[in-house]
Amino acid sequence: MTDSQTSRALRASADVVILGAGPAGLVLGNLLLAAGTDCVILERASPSRVRTRARAGFLAPNTVRILDGHGLADGLHRYGHPHAACEFRTQDGRFRLDYGALGQGGRHHVYPQQDLVTDLLRHYLGRGGRIRFRTEVLAVHDTDGTRPSVTARGPDGRTVRWTARYVAGCDGRRGAARRSLPADAVHHHDHGVTWLGLLAQAPPSLDAVGYAVHDRGFAGHMARTPEVTRYYLQWQRGTAADAWPEQRIWDELDIRMRAPEYGPLNRGALLERGLFDLSCDVAEPLRHGSLFLAGDAASVLAPAAAKGANLAVLEAEMLAEALVDALTRGDTGGLDTYSDRSLEHIWRAQEFTGWMTRLLHAPPDGDPGAGSFFQAARRRSRIASLRTSRSHQDWFADNYVGV
Ligand code: RFL
């Protein structure tokens, strides 16, 4: 091969280059293809890794509406199930909020994220979509001009330069899109709390999301499938995820979930353990020239209120519409307002997630108010208000399922 042939072989192009095949990138890719827009997805992981990464599970009504509207919800309706209740357990007793019957009556659909991603990938490939797996984006270039590009290393180790009209950064919090931003572009907040996230090979133990507020720390219960349940334990930051044997973890879940009073938890093998610092961030603005951010690349939320995947799908829909308008009709109005419109949803979700985080946890160690009588009493009063005030419950329900 001559030099010029080599350089031709290492160049490629698409109207929209999408970084990342998570919910954001795959919804965006599907919607662009459906509108006849040329795109390619570059994904660092292998297909099997993408199809098996267990994360979210609670899909909001707006997410289901978007997936339905674009013919992407077949698996969700076949295998997922509606969910509309949560139960709080505290030193003052337990109470249940049937949030599907409160506020505007929205319900979640429980459907594991890896199954949703598998469906989205099947549809994308079925529509003839281009995707490159095991292809790591190294850098995003020239987003100030009209011909941005992306360099990516493929499975054979060769670097390819993809040129585009637009680049969609859907590659999460540690992706290449964020690395290309100015140093002060991402605004961080740390809630100061760490969770040990567990996936247990065990049927759910209650027919509601369980939120246990306990002096020893928070514990959570969330159904995933009839055979698998997610649990969370508030965890000492700095302690390794595998520091406790399974028996001790189940015993601690029993104590915090108050199993002796409210019924035993179904135990099973722990399939997965992961540590999550409840920190969040927003990459404001979401547009830098011809680079647009969506999903976790745009904003990360603490998982307390199950918003991340839902925001990712919403932003992907808004970005797809704006890109199609720009590429097919030359109308860039949607792209000009994409960042502001998305940030409105993001900040509302951040506010509610912060409220939930403060409701469920004692102030972190090192916080000036940690363990103070005053702080604890205020939290107790906040929970009492949620237990007794219908208007507070309606507010909770609308924010809990809304994005
Ligand atoms: P993803 O899913 O992280 O996908 C990003 C993709 O980009 C790839 N990538 C790269 N590819 C090429 N080059 C690079 N340089 C790359 N760097 C990264 C990655 O391999 C990956 O495939 O981001 P996306 O699409 O923005 O989706 C966001 C959601 O995944 C996330 O917000 C949710 O999982 C958050 N979340 C929840 N959200 C909900 O709405 N409901 C829930 O119930 C819920 N539960 C959760 C959660 C997140 C959790 N973790 C892991 C923090 C529970 C947990 C435990």
Side-chain angles (χ1 to χ4, degrees), residues 121-320:
L121 186 55
R122 176 171 42 82
H123 284 291
Y124 182 76
L125 294 171
R127 292 170 178 182
R130 289 192 285 163
I131 186 163
R132 302 286 183 271
F133 287 105
R134 298 188 185 88
T135 296
E136 178 170 13
V137 176
L138 304 172
V140 182
H141 314 272
D142 303 325
T143 52
D144 288 346
T146 53
R147 211 62 189 151
S149 65
V150 159
T151 41
R153 188 171 45 230
D156 57 4
R158 295 196 314 172
T159 300
V160 177
R161 183 178 280 261
W162 286 85
T163 47
R165 303 273 298 279
Y166 297 102
V167 177
C170 304
D171 52 346
R173 140 184 255 176
R174 294 190 182 81
R178 277 199 171 189
R179 284 201 303 276
S180 74
L181 303 181
D184 58 353
V186 184
H187 311 277
H188 299 271
H189 175 72
D190 184 354
H191 294 290
V193 174
T194 297
W195 280 3
L196 175 67
L198 305 157
L199 267 186
Q201 182 72 52
S205 302
L206 41 161
D207 64 349
V209 176
Y211 294 116
V213 176
H214 200 284
D215 287 346
R216 297 169 72 105
F218 166 76
H221 160 285
M222 289 174 197
R224 279 297 182 261
T225 70
E227 300 85 29
V228 174
T229 307
R230 202 179 248 301
Y231 285 95
Y232 294 109
L233 269 183
Q234 188 177 347
W235 198 244
Q236 181 76 42
R237 199 168 268 190
T239 302
D242 59 2
W244 291 10
E246 290 201 3
Q247 173 79 30
R248 184 169 174 200
I249 287 183
W250 283 111
D251 292 348
E252 187 67 22
L253 281 167
D254 273 351
I255 294 172
R256 298 191 195 177
M257 298 287 299
R258 297 179 164 84
E261 284 163 81
Y262 302 131
L265 303 178
N266 296 317
R267 294 189 175 197
L270 297 179
L271 305 172
E272 214 179 276
R273 300 182 186 205
L275 291 179
F276 307 111
D277 288 339
L278 269 59
S279 62
C280 53
D281 59 45
V282 181
E284 179 168 353
L286 308 183
R287 176 181 189 173
H288 294 263
S290 42
L291 168 67
F292 294 82
L293 306 174
D296 279 9
S299 175
V300 173
L301 293 104
K307 297 283 183 214
N310 293 299
L311 276 174
V313 172
L314 172 67
E315 289 151 22
E317 185 192 44
M318 294 200 297
L319 184 54

Side-chain angles (χ1 to χ4, degrees), residues 4 6 18 88 93 130 172 189 217 239 261 333 342 357:
S4 68
T6 311
I18 301 171
F88 289 84
R130 289 192 285 163
H189 175 72
T239 302
E261 284 163 81
S342 301
T357 305

